[in-house]
Amino acid sequence: MSAAPQDAAGGGTLAGYNFAYLDEDTKRMIRRALLKAVAIPGHQVPFGSREMPLPYGWGTGGIQVTASVIGPDDTLKVIDQGADDTTNAVSIRRFFGRVAGVATTERTAEATVIQTRHRIPETPLREGQILVYQVPMPEPLFRLEPRVAETRRLHALGDYGLMHVKLYEDIARRGEVTISYNYPVMVNGRYLMSPSPIPAFDNPKMDRMPALQLFGAGREKRIYAVPPYTAVRSLDFEDHPFRPNRADAACALCGSRDSYLDEVVTDDRGGRRFLCSDTDYCERRRAEQ
Amino acid sequence: MRAAALSPGLADPVADAQGCFRAVLDAMSRPGSVRRVPADVRPPAPLVPAAAAVLLTLADAATPVWTDAGPDAAAWLAFHAGCPLATSPEDAAFVLACGSPPSLGVLVQGTDEEPHRSATLIAQVAALEAGSGGWRLRGPGIEAEHRLRVSGLPSDFTARWGANRAAFPRGVDLVLCAGREVAALPRTTAIEEG
Ligand SMILES: [Zn+2]
């Protein structure tokens, strides 16, 4: 599996491919789906996903969305769990550098398009930026209702009782909602949506975000979107309000007490420390100190 | 095919389509903002460059197009976009209105389960002016309120739009074109007369 991205992005193997890899018919189909997704915030629009030179799980849905959106004037940032320097992020960035010739950056503030897996940057996004999420499972109800036709009917009715019951059972059994990733949200008060496996800590950043948020699920062949300044509310109950969790610690490198932290094992004697998951945010803070 | 049908389409099909798409995506994401389509395209009358560029960017064999623009313009669109021409607006994925647009209610609405399978109305208007005066727009994509002045739509359009919005999630999305400029209203946008 690790060889595939290198093979795909390496050498001259992509010579002769269209700009941004996808053919124009596929881009046009994805672009139509994106416009309808923006017009119906939180609704999953099916699309004819194409085989990409990367395995599913490497973000083929996000890559197809990015490929349909990106142009020569864009600056692309790619993050994986908050980091710009993982194999996945580097492969995708190199892929677009090669097939689209776009400028790339690790700085959130400089990017016009940011493709992400599992995080929202700490630096607040602004108008005109586009955040593209890689989504493994777009259907927020899939663990509660395995029949796809039935989930479609529930979305049509706006009937999300199943999810409320699940959260309520969590509270009854454990005293709190135990979902720490992929915490379900209501978009514009109408559609239940999976925010992708971001930490619940990131959910509040989606609410009325000035940037456009696009979601691509390659294996499940779904696209959805949240337009700028759109209400995104994490499901909760009046007596059990949503509370995003964060390790009660400061980043060992920059001292931040606001950012989302990863716990990192530092030596073979079990030593641990907490570091910002957002590497760009952490570096910017250290540079300013 | 007449000479008009053979005037060129997008000069650089890949780059122009990307640039036009971003203009429309931006317009649809921020309802009431006005964007310029970057493509240099000279369609036959009465098509304006923005409407022609939007259709060449989005329409193809999978999307029947209906237009009131007359046979020369229709033939030009079918030739360059490769799209079938619908005989009535009820059967079209894209409806291009150069004159008074057909009633929104007769266009494809989508269903409650598949609201994305609805028509997009591309309406050519005399002028678009963002920022002050005209409609007051609210809804997703708008921080507080956007102003958009549209010249050249029938006076009862906002009432018809209100009925369209009330059918959410079903409904038609609107792209407005004037010259090289484009604005858009997704079905979620509320219009209040200024
Ligand atoms: Zn840090």
Side-chain angles (χ1 to χ4, degrees):
Chain A
M1 185 158 166
S2 64
Q6 273 77 21
D7 288 348
T13 54
L14 293 171
Y17 280 95
N18 196 10
F19 177 83
Y21 186 81
L22 291 177
D23 62 87
E24 289 303 295
D25 287 345
T26 300
K27 282 190 221 166
R28 202 178 302 110
M29 176 261 298
I30 292 174
R31 286 166 179 165
R32 289 195 298 260
L34 284 168
L35 291 173
K36 288 300 177 189
V38 167
I40 315 163
H43 168 67
Q44 300 167 47
V45 180
F47 77 107
S49 179
R50 292 292 184 266
E51 292 301 317
M52 296 298 287
L54 298 156
Y56 292 122
W58 284 81
T60 56
I63 289 170
Q64 289 178 83
V65 169
T66 298
S68 303
V69 162
I70 205 160
D73 300 333
D74 280 310
T75 302
L76 176 69
K77 172 183 166 79
V78 181
I79 50 171
D80 180 12
Q81 311 262 17
D84 296 85
D85 56 2
T86 67
T87 312
N88 190 344
V90 171
S91 295
I92 295 172
R93 204 161 55 232
R94 194 178 294 151
F95 174 76
F96 280 110
R98 234 175 245 283
V99 299
V102 295
T104 60
T105 184
E106 297 192 359
R107 300 193 61 164
T108 299
E110 284 174 2
T112 55
V113 177
I114 301 170
Q115 183 172 323
T116 180
R117 174 174 175 272
H118 298 187
R119 276 310 310 277
I120 297 175
E122 305 288 0
T123 306
L125 300 184
R126 53 177 161 75
E127 275 191 30
Q129 289 181 311
I130 299 177
L131 182 59
V132 178
Y133 295 77
Q134 301 173 200
V135 181
M137 170 41 76
E139 178 48 67
L141 298 169
F142 90 104
R143 281 189 199 284
L144 308 173
E145 175 49 75
R147 293 167 298 178
V148 175
E150 181 61 11
T151 59
R152 239 183 253 142
R153 198 182 68 86
L154 294 174
H155 284 296
L157 295 169
D159 179 352
Y160 300 126
L162 277 175
M163 185 59 85
H164 282 105
V165 168
K166 187 242 182 295
L167 297 188
Y168 185 79
E169 284 175 353
D170 252 22
I171 292 168
R173 274 196 214 122
R174 306 209 172 82
E176 61 177 350
V177 175
T178 55
I179 307 170
S180 51
Y181 290 87
N182 213 342
Y183 192 109
V185 294
M186 285 296 288
V187 178
N188 201 33
R190 175 57 181 82
Y191 280 102
L192 185 72
M193 187 185 92
S194 161
S196 85
I198 58 172
F201 172 86
D202 281 342
N203 275 22
K205 296 174 184 163
M206 304 181 89
D207 184 39
R208 299 186 58 80
M209 181 190 280
L212 171 63
Q213 302 175 74
L214 304 176
F215 300 78
R219 191 184 54 222
E220 303 295 325
K221 304 179 171 59
R222 293 286 186 278
I223 281 169
Y224 50 101
V226 177
Y229 304 112
T230 299
V232 176
R233 193 176 60 77
S234 302
L235 280 194
D236 64 359
F237 298 93
E238 249 173 54
D239 47 345
H240 282 273
F242 172 77
R243 263 194 322 234
N245 280 323
R246 173 185 183 277
D248 185 19
C251 170
L253 294 175
C254 76
S256 175
R257 292 195 158 272
D258 302 316
S259 69
Y260 190 75
L261 301 173
D262 289 332
E263 193 175 8
V264 182
V265 177
T266 51
D267 56 47
D268 54 12
R269 298 188 308 277
R272 291 161 182 281
R273 55 184 193 161
F274 288 98
L275 303 176
C276 291
S277 131
D278 184 334
T279 52
D280 170 62
Y281 171 84
C282 195
E283 276 164 33
R284 298 277 83 73
R285 275 181 55 88
R286 279 180 281 153
E288 284 162 16
Q289 283 163 10
Chain B
M1 196 171 282
R2 303 189 206 177
L6 298 173
S7 78
L10 298 176
D12 181 342
V14 174
D16 287 352
Q18 190 275 332
C20 288
F21 169 68
R22 280 292 279 279
V24 178
L25 179 66
D26 201 30
M28 193 67 83
S29 304
R30 294 192 265 177
S33 63
V34 175
R35 296 283 172 264
R36 206 174 167 77
V37 298
D40 182 22
V41 59
R42 283 163 210 169
L47 294 188
V48 299
V54 168
L55 274 171
L56 296 197
T57 297
L58 296 175
D60 60 23
T63 59
V65 173
W66 180 87
T67 182
D68 61 0
D72 282 356
W76 185 89
L77 281 173
F79 177 75
H80 286 296
C83 58
L85 294 170
T87 49
S88 76
E90 297 97 280
D91 301 325
F94 291 101
V95 172
L96 169 60
C98 300
S100 183
S103 168
L104 296 172
V106 308
L107 306 185
V108 181
Q109 304 289 304
T111 64
D112 283 340
E113 290 196 9
E114 299 187 304
H116 52 276
R117 296 172 76 94
S118 67
T120 301
L121 171 62
I122 299 165
Q124 290 194 178
V125 296
L128 292 168
E129 191 194 336
S132 63
W135 292 343
R136 297 175 183 278
L137 306 178
R138 291 175 185 277
I142 300 171
E143 185 173 17
E145 179 181 271
H146 280 175
R147 301 298 299 265
L148 179 67
R149 187 187 295 282
V150 182
S151 315
L153 277 179
S155 57
D156 65 345
F157 183 83
T158 51
R160 294 199 240 158
W161 183 259
N164 182 65
R165 179 167 173 271
F168 188 88
R170 290 176 296 123
V172 171
D173 306 306
L174 175 65
V175 176
L176 297 163
C177 295
R180 316 192 71 82
E181 294 189 319
V182 61
L185 269 62
R187 63 197 78 179
T188 48
T189 303
I191 305 178
E192 194 186 309
E193 300 274 7

